[in-house]
Amino acid sequence: MKNFALIGAAGYIAPRHMKAIKETGNELAVAYDINDSVGIIDSISPSSEFFTEFERFSDHCYKLKRDNSKKIDIVSICSPNYLHHSHIAASLRMGADVICEKPLVPTESVLNELIEVEKETGHKVYNILQLRHHDAILKLKDKIAAANREEKYEVELTYITSRGKWYLESWKGDLNKSFGIATNIGVHFFDMLHFIFGDLVESEVYYTGETKAGGYLEYDKARVRWFLSIDANDLPESVKGKQPTYRSIDIEGEEIEFSGGFTDLHTISYQEILAGRGYGLEDARFGVKTVEYIRHAKDVVTDESKLHPYLSKFLLG
């Protein structure tokens, strides 16, 4: 059994990490968040220590190092995106390995800095790249590899996850903290595309806004029109009123809808990490590079045929 600490315990994604810690037979020993709306801890690990100040949290973790049976083995990080780098580095220096939510860091230079901290401390950072564990994605990857065809696949990626007005009022609506829609909700989808279709050849960005973004990505094996949105009005009529989220990959008219089974992937990710098969910093590099480029690209439509249908309707009517 390993002892876990959790940074960002009051966040949206934290309960999935708490559940994964419990379901893998480990102990949530201490948690931290500046907000104290963390009553869910009682259903996971009621004896956990909890702090609302990072200094007290880190001091407590340092003291635990004196007892090998109580020291923190792994810190799970669910804090706002812009704090990931600082929290990862601090956790490594505490003498713990790290499991961090996406997006791991905003730029490749920050990723390289964390590689140096790994070397200095002898501890390891793992990224949650949960779509690499989704059964439908694994089957698709195997199917594409087995086909071994020369021509590239024509693909449409659609991800719509309904969010209320709170989203833009929170840190997620602040570009300096979330790094925008494509980074905050898109990075693991771009990683998934790389996982299935190989290295990136070309990237174009056609629109980036507060609630949606879209563009074109070309990989070794595919040409992908992508569309991301947090606006419920963008949901297809077939799912409106039935589910708040729609995840789809359409490959030349064959749709793979992979919304189901998504919430259980954190436990699988933890199982793989604890078994020594987790995805580290180098595995995260592709996604980091992709979203870094997207954030700095200018919105220019070079070829209307490359527009995702949802984006074409939005831009061209």
Side-chain angles (χ1 to χ4, degrees):
M1 186 182 74
K2 293 187 179 295
N3 293 318
F4 276 76
L6 177 64
I7 296 176
Y12 166 80
I13 206 67
R16 294 186 194 175
H17 286 260
M18 294 181 197
K19 180 171 176 278
I21 291 167
K22 182 177 181 179
E23 291 184 345
T24 52
N26 297 293
E27 179 74 19
L28 177 59
V30 55
Y32 157 71
D33 202 294
I34 60 171
N35 298 303
D36 59 10
S37 298
V38 292
I40 191 172
I41 293 176
D42 288 348
S43 65
I44 302 292
S45 182
S47 62
S48 297
E49 299 290 342
F50 175 71
F51 299 94
T52 57
E53 296 165 319
F54 189 78
E55 294 82 359
R56 294 177 62 222
F57 163 79
S58 60
D59 183 60
H60 179 78
C61 292
Y62 274 112
K63 288 177 181 176
L64 292 178
K65 289 176 67 175
R66 297 170 185 163
D67 185 336
N68 200 51
S69 66
K70 294 182 179 180
K71 70 178 181 67
I72 299 300
D73 299 297
I74 301 175
V75 179
S76 296
I77 296 176
C78 308
S79 53
N81 301 347
Y82 75 107
L83 294 173
H84 285 178
H85 172 220
S86 297
H87 286 156
I88 291 170
S91 299
L92 291 172
R93 290 172 178 138
M94 281 181 203
D97 290 332
V98 173
I99 298 174
C100 186
E101 261 301 332
K102 59 80 189 165
L104 189 71
V105 289
T107 67
E108 196 172 11
S109 64
V110 176
L111 184 76
N112 292 336
E113 167 62 21
L114 286 179
I115 289 174
E116 293 304 311
V117 182
E118 275 192 334
K119 293 175 182 176
E120 292 165 1
T121 62
H123 288 278
K124 183 81 173 170
V125 181
Y126 299 96
N127 196 196
I128 296 291
L129 299 175
Q130 69 265 45
L131 286 176
R132 294 192 184 199
H133 301 301
H134 196 294
D135 188 56
I137 301 305
L138 290 170
K139 288 179 180 177
L140 176 58
K141 178 179 170 62
D142 290 342
K143 180 179 178 180
I144 297 298
N148 196 31
R149 75 179 204 180
E150 292 185 5
E151 63 271 28
K152 296 189 178 186
Y153 292 89
E154 298 295 331
V155 179
E156 289 176 6
L157 170 70
T158 310
Y159 177 45
I160 303 165
T161 180
S162 306
R163 295 289 185 265
K165 294 179 181 179
W166 66 267
Y167 185 98
L168 295 178
E169 292 297 321
S170 73
W171 63 264
K172 295 181 181 183
D174 185 339
L175 289 177
N176 294 318
K177 294 181 177 181
S178 71
F179 312 119
I181 287 289
T183 300
N184 191 48
I185 71 168
V187 65
H188 53 301
F189 291 97
F190 300 133
D191 173 78
M192 173 197 70
L193 292 170
H194 163 62
F195 183 63
I196 298 170
F197 298 113
D199 290 337
L200 185 65
V201 177
E202 180 184 354
S203 176
E204 296 181 0
V205 181
Y206 301 144
Y207 179 79
T208 49
E210 285 188 324
T211 62
K212 62 195 80 185
Y216 172 82
L217 294 162
E218 185 168 334
Y219 296 86
D220 287 338
K221 298 180 181 180
R223 288 184 284 265
V224 182
R225 291 170 289 279
W226 60 271
F227 178 78
L228 308 171
S229 174
I230 59 167
D231 186 349
N233 294 316
D234 289 325
L235 287 168
E237 292 299 328
S238 60
V239 303
K240 279 184 179 177
K242 299 176 184 177
Q243 61 189 54
T245 300
Y246 178 73
R247 304 175 181 91
S248 170
I249 302 175
D250 184 291
I251 303 177
E252 298 177 349
E254 181 179 348
E255 183 184 33
I256 298 171
E257 210 281 335
F258 56 103
S259 293
F262 201 82
T263 58
D264 301 322
L265 297 177
H266 279 72
T267 296
I268 296 173
S269 296
Y270 270 64
Q271 289 169 344
E272 291 296 299
I273 290 168
L274 292 166
R277 298 186 294 267
Y279 293 113
L281 291 177
E282 284 299 336
D283 296 299
R285 186 177 295 277
F286 174 84
V288 170
K289 287 175 64 175
T290 301
V291 295
E292 183 177 8
Y293 175 84
I294 289 172
R295 281 199 311 278
H296 298 293
K298 294 182 179 179
D299 296 355
V300 179
V301 178
T302 58
D303 183 347
E304 291 183 9
S305 69
K306 293 180 179 179
L307 285 171
H308 187 287
Y310 285 38
L311 188 60
S312 179
K313 182 180 178 180
F314 175 70
L315 292 178
L316 306 178

